């Protein structure tokens, strides 16, 4: 389980694989000088709500990974996350299987 630390005031847990993909997408957007919102669903332990933050190149971010290996990056998942980041609602996490078109449970 990795952590995203926003402006030294907010710490959010994400699994290392998800966090690695978020790091790529956030890094690309901020490197281009494109600020944007990032939203996620909160864990039930803290109320099961939703949190949104404004990401801007001047706001410090830390990506803390607990695994020693860098996860393999899935280009389809990166592209799908980038598409959400380019909307008026901003970046939000979509499932990797959905991004790959392999979501299970469909009839």
């Amino acid at each position: 389980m990795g952590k995203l630390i926003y402006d030294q005031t907010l710490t959010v847990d994400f699994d290392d694989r998800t966090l690695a993909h978020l790091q790529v997408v956030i890094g690309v957007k901020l490197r281009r000088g494109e600020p944007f919102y990032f939203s996620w669903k909160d864990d039930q332990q803290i109320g099961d709500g939703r949190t949104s933050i404004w990401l801007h190149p001047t706001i410090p971010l830390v990506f803390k990974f607990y695994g020693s290996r860098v996860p393999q990056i899935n280009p389809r998942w990166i592209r799908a996350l980038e598409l959400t980041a380019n909307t008026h609602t901003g970046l939000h996490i979509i499932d990797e299987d959905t991004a790959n078109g392999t979501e299970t449970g469909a009839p």
Side-chain angles (χ1 to χ4, degrees):
M1 196 54 75
K3 294 187 181 298
L4 172 68
I5 304 164
Y6 174 78
D7 198 24
Q8 301 178 0
T9 60
L10 176 69
T11 301
V12 187
D13 293 327
F14 294 102
D15 68 81
D16 277 359
R17 182 162 179 75
T18 301
L19 188 59
H21 284 76
L22 290 172
Q23 181 182 20
V24 171
V25 173
I26 291 169
V28 166
K29 295 282 289 175
L30 295 181
R31 205 171 24 252
R32 292 180 187 153
E34 300 173 2
F36 60 101
Y37 285 107
F38 172 37
S39 301
W40 61 88
K41 188 174 178 179
D42 294 326
D43 189 271
Q44 289 181 353
Q45 295 176 348
I46 62 168
D48 199 27
R50 186 175 64 87
T51 299
S52 291
I53 57 175
W54 179 248
L55 294 173
H56 187 277
T58 62
I59 299 170
L61 289 175
V62 175
F63 297 88
K64 172 64 177 153
F65 298 92
Y66 285 97
S68 61
R69 295 186 201 170
V70 176
Q72 183 176 355
I73 298 298
N74 177 342
R76 284 186 174 183
W77 196 13
I78 293 293
R79 181 67 185 134
L81 291 168
E82 285 177 328
L83 289 173
T84 71
N86 291 330
T87 66
H88 67 281
T89 56
L91 175 62
H92 60 274
I93 299 170
I94 59 170
D95 186 77
E96 184 173 8
D97 288 336
T98 300
N100 287 330
T102 58
E103 186 173 21
T104 58

